[in-house]
Amino acid sequence: MDIQFLGTGDAFGSGGRFNTCFHVRDSVGAFLVDCGASSMIAIRKFGVDPNAIRAILITHLHGDHFGGLPFFILDAQLFSRRTAPLVIAGPPGLRDRLATAMENFFPGSTKVQQRFVLDVHELEPRRTHDVAGIAVTPFVVKHACGAPPFALRLGVDDKTLCYSGDTEWVDGLREAAHGVDLFIAETYFFDKPIKFHLDFATLARHLPDLGAKRVVLTHMSPDMLARAAATGFEIADDGVVISV
Ligand SMILES: [Zn+2]
């Protein structure tokens, strides 16, 4: 699979980076992991065809991770003229929070009948779900966002990928990332442990137990961005494509 990082920033645009959004290409087609508020801009900037995206997987219900969905859905209806079904899958509460976000941003938009089938799934943790051909296993992590936040373990073709979402260190991450081909990990600060977020020092302490084959750091604050190169780890950046 190929992964293009469309957005690798935090909620506040640190480093001029877009909100979280990863574009994954597999043998079936393409899907997104998270769709933060700025994701339609990133999709246009990097020349991604939104109609070729069959599914959008959401880790948690913060604007910088799911706030791009109203824009994506409206673009699909009004400009991209989508006809193919779209599956959106994420934590319990996704259906209501998505409807509220759409009504807040574009009143009346939830009353419009789409020209494509829009399927919103709320995923049960610790179960493997087949979402449009992707094996999705969510693990509950620790991040206050009004609904259960997930780390996602994905089976894509014959590879495994884990994205931590936003979270402080929890044991669930050990299972979510165990032995994966690629672990994309939030690294908000360098060594300052703060509630609900992961710092590099804590992550580095746990990495030997995980056995992840490749680790890429993302979602960095200005503090972490300034010290990222010194870690010697791979750093996600907007627009970069990696193959796994
Ligand atoms: Zn968050």
PDB file of all heavy atoms in Angstrom, residues 86-114:
ATOM      1  N   LEU A  86     -20.246   5.967  -0.451  1.00  0.00           N
ATOM      2  CA  LEU A  86     -19.179   6.404   0.453  1.00  0.00           C
ATOM      3  C   LEU A  86     -19.465   5.835   1.841  1.00  0.00           C
ATOM      4  O   LEU A  86     -20.573   5.982   2.360  1.00  0.00           O
ATOM      5  CB  LEU A  86     -19.138   7.935   0.526  1.00  0.00           C
ATOM      6  CG  LEU A  86     -18.150   8.530   1.533  1.00  0.00           C
ATOM      7  CD1 LEU A  86     -16.695   8.238   1.130  1.00  0.00           C
ATOM      8  CD2 LEU A  86     -18.351  10.048   1.676  1.00  0.00           C
ATOM      9  N   VAL A  87     -18.470   5.176   2.408  1.00  0.00           N
ATOM     10  CA  VAL A  87     -18.605   4.636   3.761  1.00  0.00           C
ATOM     11  C   VAL A  87     -17.781   5.499   4.704  1.00  0.00           C
ATOM     12  O   VAL A  87     -16.606   5.775   4.440  1.00  0.00           O
ATOM     13  CB  VAL A  87     -18.103   3.173   3.832  1.00  0.00           C
ATOM     14  CG1 VAL A  87     -18.284   2.625   5.250  1.00  0.00           C
ATOM     15  CG2 VAL A  87     -18.822   2.309   2.826  1.00  0.00           C
ATOM     16  N   ILE A  88     -18.403   5.954   5.786  1.00  0.00           N
ATOM     17  CA  ILE A  88     -17.672   6.676   6.831  1.00  0.00           C
ATOM     18  C   ILE A  88     -17.809   5.851   8.101  1.00  0.00           C
ATOM     19  O   ILE A  88     -18.927   5.505   8.502  1.00  0.00           O
ATOM     20  CB  ILE A  88     -18.243   8.090   7.040  1.00  0.00           C
ATOM     21  CG1 ILE A  88     -18.149   8.892   5.735  1.00  0.00           C
ATOM     22  CG2 ILE A  88     -17.490   8.814   8.151  1.00  0.00           C
ATOM     23  CD1 ILE A  88     -18.765  10.280   5.811  1.00  0.00           C
ATOM     24  N   ALA A  89     -16.676   5.496   8.704  1.00  0.00           N
ATOM     25  CA  ALA A  89     -16.712   4.638   9.892  1.00  0.00           C
ATOM     26  C   ALA A  89     -15.868   5.259  10.989  1.00  0.00           C
ATOM     27  O   ALA A  89     -14.779   5.767  10.732  1.00  0.00           O
ATOM     28  CB  ALA A  89     -16.203   3.239   9.547  1.00  0.00           C
ATOM     29  N   GLY A  90     -16.408   5.215  12.218  1.00  0.00           N
ATOM     30  CA  GLY A  90     -15.688   5.810  13.338  1.00  0.00           C
ATOM     31  C   GLY A  90     -16.326   5.430  14.654  1.00  0.00           C
ATOM     32  O   GLY A  90     -17.106   4.479  14.736  1.00  0.00           O
ATOM     33  N   PRO A  91     -16.019   6.187  15.694  1.00  0.00           N
ATOM     34  CA  PRO A  91     -16.474   5.827  17.034  1.00  0.00           C
ATOM     35  C   PRO A  91     -17.985   5.995  17.216  1.00  0.00           C
ATOM     36  O   PRO A  91     -18.632   6.736  16.467  1.00  0.00           O
ATOM     37  CB  PRO A  91     -15.751   6.839  17.935  1.00  0.00           C
ATOM     38  CG  PRO A  91     -14.781   7.550  17.090  1.00  0.00           C
ATOM     39  CD  PRO A  91     -15.211   7.407  15.679  1.00  0.00           C
ATOM     40  N   PRO A  92     -18.533   5.334  18.263  1.00  0.00           N
ATOM     41  CA  PRO A  92     -19.921   5.585  18.637  1.00  0.00           C
ATOM     42  C   PRO A  92     -20.127   7.081  18.842  1.00  0.00           C
ATOM     43  O   PRO A  92     -19.250   7.754  19.397  1.00  0.00           O
ATOM     44  CB  PRO A  92     -20.059   4.837  19.976  1.00  0.00           C
ATOM     45  CG  PRO A  92     -18.998   3.789  19.957  1.00  0.00           C
ATOM     46  CD  PRO A  92     -17.871   4.359  19.146  1.00  0.00           C
ATOM     47  N   GLY A  93     -21.241   7.604  18.372  1.00  0.00           N
ATOM     48  CA  GLY A  93     -21.515   9.039  18.471  1.00  0.00           C
ATOM     49  C   GLY A  93     -21.246   9.765  17.162  1.00  0.00           C
ATOM     50  O   GLY A  93     -21.663  10.906  16.976  1.00  0.00           O
ATOM     51  N   LEU A  94     -20.569   9.080  16.234  1.00  0.00           N
ATOM     52  CA  LEU A  94     -20.196   9.712  14.961  1.00  0.00           C
ATOM     53  C   LEU A  94     -21.417  10.241  14.200  1.00  0.00           C
ATOM     54  O   LEU A  94     -21.394  11.362  13.683  1.00  0.00           O
ATOM     55  CB  LEU A  94     -19.423   8.699  14.091  1.00  0.00           C
ATOM     56  CG  LEU A  94     -19.135   9.091  12.650  1.00  0.00           C
ATOM     57  CD1 LEU A  94     -18.247  10.332  12.586  1.00  0.00           C
ATOM     58  CD2 LEU A  94     -18.478   7.938  11.886  1.00  0.00           C
ATOM     59  N   ARG A  95     -22.487   9.434  14.166  1.00  0.00           N
ATOM     60  CA  ARG A  95     -23.651   9.818  13.352  1.00  0.00           C
ATOM     61  C   ARG A  95     -24.233  11.162  13.823  1.00  0.00           C
ATOM     62  O   ARG A  95     -24.435  12.075  13.020  1.00  0.00           O
ATOM     63  CB  ARG A  95     -24.701   8.705  13.439  1.00  0.00           C
ATOM     64  CG  ARG A  95     -25.570   8.607  12.226  1.00  0.00           C
ATOM     65  CD  ARG A  95     -26.440   7.358  12.233  1.00  0.00           C
ATOM     66  NE  ARG A  95     -25.760   6.175  11.742  1.00  0.00           N
ATOM     67  CZ  ARG A  95     -25.493   5.095  12.478  1.00  0.00           C
ATOM     68  NH1 ARG A  95     -25.845   5.037  13.741  1.00  0.00           N
ATOM     69  NH2 ARG A  95     -24.864   4.061  11.944  1.00  0.00           N
ATOM     70  N   ASP A  96     -24.427  11.289  15.136  1.00  0.00           N
ATOM     71  CA  ASP A  96     -25.012  12.522  15.685  1.00  0.00           C
ATOM     72  C   ASP A  96     -24.061  13.703  15.560  1.00  0.00           C
ATOM     73  O   ASP A  96     -24.477  14.813  15.209  1.00  0.00           O
ATOM     74  CB  ASP A  96     -25.336  12.343  17.179  1.00  0.00           C
ATOM     75  CG  ASP A  96     -26.649  11.618  17.366  1.00  0.00           C
ATOM     76  OD1 ASP A  96     -27.321  11.359  16.351  1.00  0.00           O
ATOM     77  OD2 ASP A  96     -26.985  11.308  18.521  1.00  0.00           O
ATOM     78  N   ARG A  97     -22.796  13.477  15.874  1.00  0.00           N
ATOM     79  CA  ARG A  97     -21.834  14.583  15.855  1.00  0.00           C
ATOM     80  C   ARG A  97     -21.619  15.076  14.419  1.00  0.00           C
ATOM     81  O   ARG A  97     -21.422  16.268  14.181  1.00  0.00           O
ATOM     82  CB  ARG A  97     -20.513  14.149  16.485  1.00  0.00           C
ATOM     83  CG  ARG A  97     -20.595  13.865  17.983  1.00  0.00           C
ATOM     84  CD  ARG A  97     -20.487  15.140  18.820  1.00  0.00           C
ATOM     85  NE  ARG A  97     -19.176  15.749  18.730  1.00  0.00           N
ATOM     86  CZ  ARG A  97     -18.115  15.403  19.449  1.00  0.00           C
ATOM     87  NH1 ARG A  97     -18.219  14.440  20.346  1.00  0.00           N
ATOM     88  NH2 ARG A  97     -16.965  16.020  19.288  1.00  0.00           N
ATOM     89  N   LEU A  98     -21.674  14.155  13.461  1.00  0.00           N
ATOM     90  CA  LEU A  98     -21.527  14.550  12.058  1.00  0.00           C
ATOM     91  C   LEU A  98     -22.727  15.397  11.629  1.00  0.00           C
ATOM     92  O   LEU A  98     -22.574  16.445  10.986  1.00  0.00           O
ATOM     93  CB  LEU A  98     -21.381  13.304  11.176  1.00  0.00           C
ATOM     94  CG  LEU A  98     -21.343  13.553   9.667  1.00  0.00           C
ATOM     95  CD1 LEU A  98     -20.205  14.497   9.280  1.00  0.00           C
ATOM     96  CD2 LEU A  98     -21.204  12.221   8.910  1.00  0.00           C
ATOM     97  N   ALA A  99     -23.923  14.952  12.008  1.00  0.00           N
ATOM     98  CA  ALA A  99     -25.137  15.705  11.646  1.00  0.00           C
ATOM     99  C   ALA A  99     -25.103  17.100  12.277  1.00  0.00           C
ATOM    100  O   ALA A  99     -25.439  18.103  11.631  1.00  0.00           O
ATOM    101  CB  ALA A  99     -26.386  14.939  12.105  1.00  0.00           C
ATOM    102  N   THR A 100     -24.670  17.175  13.540  1.00  0.00           N
ATOM    103  CA  THR A 100     -24.594  18.474  14.229  1.00  0.00           C
ATOM    104  C   THR A 100     -23.576  19.377  13.539  1.00  0.00           C
ATOM    105  O   THR A 100     -23.830  20.569  13.328  1.00  0.00           O
ATOM    106  CB  THR A 100     -24.194  18.263  15.708  1.00  0.00           C
ATOM    107  OG1 THR A 100     -25.131  17.369  16.290  1.00  0.00           O
ATOM    108  CG2 THR A 100     -24.193  19.566  16.478  1.00  0.00           C
ATOM    109  N   ALA A 101     -22.427  18.810  13.192  1.00  0.00           N
ATOM    110  CA  ALA A 101     -21.391  19.605  12.515  1.00  0.00           C
ATOM    111  C   ALA A 101     -21.930  20.129  11.183  1.00  0.00           C
ATOM    112  O   ALA A 101     -21.736  21.301  10.833  1.00  0.00           O
ATOM    113  CB  ALA A 101     -20.138  18.760  12.297  1.00  0.00           C
ATOM    114  N   MET A 102     -22.624  19.268  10.443  1.00  0.00           N
ATOM    115  CA  MET A 102     -23.147  19.698   9.135  1.00  0.00           C
ATOM    116  C   MET A 102     -24.161  20.820   9.297  1.00  0.00           C
ATOM    117  O   MET A 102     -24.144  21.795   8.549  1.00  0.00           O
ATOM    118  CB  MET A 102     -23.755  18.505   8.391  1.00  0.00           C
ATOM    119  CG  MET A 102     -22.672  17.519   7.971  1.00  0.00           C
ATOM    120  SD  MET A 102     -23.164  16.329   6.723  1.00  0.00           S
ATOM    121  CE  MET A 102     -23.459  17.370   5.308  1.00  0.00           C
ATOM    122  N   GLU A 103     -25.042  20.671  10.292  1.00  0.00           N
ATOM    123  CA  GLU A 103     -26.064  21.705  10.497  1.00  0.00           C
ATOM    124  C   GLU A 103     -25.452  23.016  10.994  1.00  0.00           C
ATOM    125  O   GLU A 103     -25.924  24.093  10.650  1.00  0.00           O
ATOM    126  CB  GLU A 103     -27.139  21.206  11.468  1.00  0.00           C
ATOM    127  CG  GLU A 103     -28.139  20.269  10.813  1.00  0.00           C
ATOM    128  CD  GLU A 103     -28.859  20.893   9.617  1.00  0.00           C
ATOM    129  OE1 GLU A 103     -29.302  22.058   9.693  1.00  0.00           O
ATOM    130  OE2 GLU A 103     -28.978  20.206   8.585  1.00  0.00           O
ATOM    131  N   ASN A 104     -24.401  22.919  11.826  1.00  0.00           N
ATOM    132  CA  ASN A 104     -23.736  24.141  12.297  1.00  0.00           C
ATOM    133  C   ASN A 104     -23.057  24.882  11.159  1.00  0.00           C
ATOM    134  O   ASN A 104     -23.123  26.103  11.065  1.00  0.00           O
ATOM    135  CB  ASN A 104     -22.693  23.799  13.365  1.00  0.00           C
ATOM    136  CG  ASN A 104     -23.331  23.623  14.729  1.00  0.00           C
ATOM    137  OD1 ASN A 104     -24.366  24.199  15.018  1.00  0.00           O
ATOM    138  ND2 ASN A 104     -22.729  22.808  15.563  1.00  0.00           N
ATOM    139  N   PHE A 105     -22.388  24.133  10.295  1.00  0.00           N
ATOM    140  CA  PHE A 105     -21.618  24.771   9.220  1.00  0.00           C
ATOM    141  C   PHE A 105     -22.508  25.156   8.042  1.00  0.00           C
ATOM    142  O   PHE A 105     -22.329  26.216   7.445  1.00  0.00           O
ATOM    143  CB  PHE A 105     -20.506  23.839   8.723  1.00  0.00           C
ATOM    144  CG  PHE A 105     -19.369  23.659   9.705  1.00  0.00           C
ATOM    145  CD1 PHE A 105     -18.489  22.600   9.584  1.00  0.00           C
ATOM    146  CD2 PHE A 105     -19.166  24.558  10.737  1.00  0.00           C
ATOM    147  CE1 PHE A 105     -17.437  22.441  10.474  1.00  0.00           C
ATOM    148  CE2 PHE A 105     -18.123  24.402  11.635  1.00  0.00           C
ATOM    149  CZ  PHE A 105     -17.256  23.339  11.503  1.00  0.00           C
ATOM    150  N   PHE A 106     -23.445  24.248   7.692  1.00  0.00           N
ATOM    151  CA  PHE A 106     -24.290  24.461   6.508  1.00  0.00           C
ATOM    152  C   PHE A 106     -25.734  24.084   6.868  1.00  0.00           C
ATOM    153  O   PHE A 106     -26.162  22.959   6.598  1.00  0.00           O
ATOM    154  CB  PHE A 106     -23.789  23.601   5.333  1.00  0.00           C
ATOM    155  CG  PHE A 106     -22.350  23.842   4.977  1.00  0.00           C
ATOM    156  CD1 PHE A 106     -21.361  22.948   5.364  1.00  0.00           C
ATOM    157  CD2 PHE A 106     -21.966  24.974   4.273  1.00  0.00           C
ATOM    158  CE1 PHE A 106     -20.023  23.175   5.051  1.00  0.00           C
ATOM    159  CE2 PHE A 106     -20.635  25.215   3.961  1.00  0.00           C
ATOM    160  CZ  PHE A 106     -19.669  24.309   4.349  1.00  0.00           C
ATOM    161  N   PRO A 107     -26.475  25.031   7.470  1.00  0.00           N
ATOM    162  CA  PRO A 107     -27.847  24.717   7.905  1.00  0.00           C
ATOM    163  C   PRO A 107     -28.687  24.146   6.769  1.00  0.00           C
ATOM    164  O   PRO A 107     -28.628  24.638   5.639  1.00  0.00           O
ATOM    165  CB  PRO A 107     -28.379  26.072   8.379  1.00  0.00           C
ATOM    166  CG  PRO A 107     -27.151  26.822   8.797  1.00  0.00           C
ATOM    167  CD  PRO A 107     -26.070  26.392   7.831  1.00  0.00           C
ATOM    168  N   GLY A 108     -29.432  23.094   7.101  1.00  0.00           N
ATOM    169  CA  GLY A 108     -30.283  22.444   6.100  1.00  0.00           C
ATOM    170  C   GLY A 108     -29.582  21.331   5.349  1.00  0.00           C
ATOM    171  O   GLY A 108     -30.234  20.558   4.630  1.00  0.00           O
ATOM    172  N   SER A 109     -28.252  21.223   5.512  1.00  0.00           N
ATOM    173  CA  SER A 109     -27.506  20.270   4.676  1.00  0.00           C
ATOM    174  C   SER A 109     -27.830  18.815   4.992  1.00  0.00           C
ATOM    175  O   SER A 109     -27.671  17.943   4.135  1.00  0.00           O
ATOM    176  CB  SER A 109     -25.994  20.507   4.784  1.00  0.00           C
ATOM    177  OG  SER A 109     -25.557  20.362   6.121  1.00  0.00           O
ATOM    178  N   THR A 110     -28.305  18.533   6.220  1.00  0.00           N
ATOM    179  CA  THR A 110     -28.619  17.123   6.519  1.00  0.00           C
ATOM    180  C   THR A 110     -29.955  16.703   5.913  1.00  0.00           C
ATOM    181  O   THR A 110     -30.275  15.521   5.880  1.00  0.00           O
ATOM    182  CB  THR A 110     -28.682  16.861   8.045  1.00  0.00           C
ATOM    183  OG1 THR A 110     -29.683  17.708   8.604  1.00  0.00           O
ATOM    184  CG2 THR A 110     -27.351  17.142   8.725  1.00  0.00           C
ATOM    185  N   LYS A 111     -30.736  17.684   5.453  1.00  0.00           N
ATOM    186  CA  LYS A 111     -32.053  17.350   4.862  1.00  0.00           C
ATOM    187  C   LYS A 111     -31.923  16.993   3.379  1.00  0.00           C
ATOM    188  O   LYS A 111     -32.852  16.473   2.776  1.00  0.00           O
ATOM    189  CB  LYS A 111     -33.012  18.537   4.995  1.00  0.00           C
ATOM    190  CG  LYS A 111     -33.123  19.130   6.382  1.00  0.00           C
ATOM    191  CD  LYS A 111     -33.880  18.218   7.329  1.00  0.00           C
ATOM    192  CE  LYS A 111     -33.994  18.789   8.732  1.00  0.00           C
ATOM    193  NZ  LYS A 111     -32.721  18.997   9.428  1.00  0.00           N
ATOM    194  N   VAL A 112     -30.764  17.298   2.801  1.00  0.00           N
ATOM    195  CA  VAL A 112     -30.585  17.065   1.366  1.00  0.00           C
ATOM    196  C   VAL A 112     -30.318  15.585   1.109  1.00  0.00           C
ATOM    197  O   VAL A 112     -29.492  14.971   1.779  1.00  0.00           O
ATOM    198  CB  VAL A 112     -29.387  17.897   0.833  1.00  0.00           C
ATOM    199  CG1 VAL A 112     -29.145  17.623  -0.649  1.00  0.00           C
ATOM    200  CG2 VAL A 112     -29.635  19.387   1.076  1.00  0.00           C
ATOM    201  N   GLN A 113     -31.068  15.027   0.167  1.00  0.00           N
ATOM    202  CA  GLN A 113     -30.852  13.635  -0.204  1.00  0.00           C
ATOM    203  C   GLN A 113     -29.649  13.553  -1.152  1.00  0.00           C
ATOM    204  O   GLN A 113     -29.673  14.134  -2.231  1.00  0.00           O
ATOM    205  CB  GLN A 113     -32.119  13.086  -0.878  1.00  0.00           C
ATOM    206  CG  GLN A 113     -32.057  11.610  -1.242  1.00  0.00           C
ATOM    207  CD  GLN A 113     -31.849  10.707  -0.030  1.00  0.00           C
ATOM    208  OE1 GLN A 113     -32.537  10.809   0.985  1.00  0.00           O
ATOM    209  NE2 GLN A 113     -30.852   9.833  -0.123  1.00  0.00           N
ATOM    210  N   GLN A 114     -28.600  12.855  -0.723  1.00  0.00           N
ATOM    211  CA  GLN A 114     -27.415  12.740  -1.582  1.00  0.00           C
ATOM    212  C   GLN A 114     -27.713  11.901  -2.822  1.00  0.00           C
ATOM    213  O   GLN A 114     -28.551  11.012  -2.775  1.00  0.00           O
ATOM    214  CB  GLN A 114     -26.250  12.088  -0.816  1.00  0.00           C
ATOM    215  CG  GLN A 114     -25.468  13.045   0.052  1.00  0.00           C
ATOM    216  CD  GLN A 114     -25.994  13.076   1.473  1.00  0.00           C
ATOM    217  OE1 GLN A 114     -26.660  12.156   1.901  1.00  0.00           O
ATOM    218  NE2 GLN A 114     -25.706  14.152   2.180  1.00  0.00           N
TER     219      GLN A 114
END
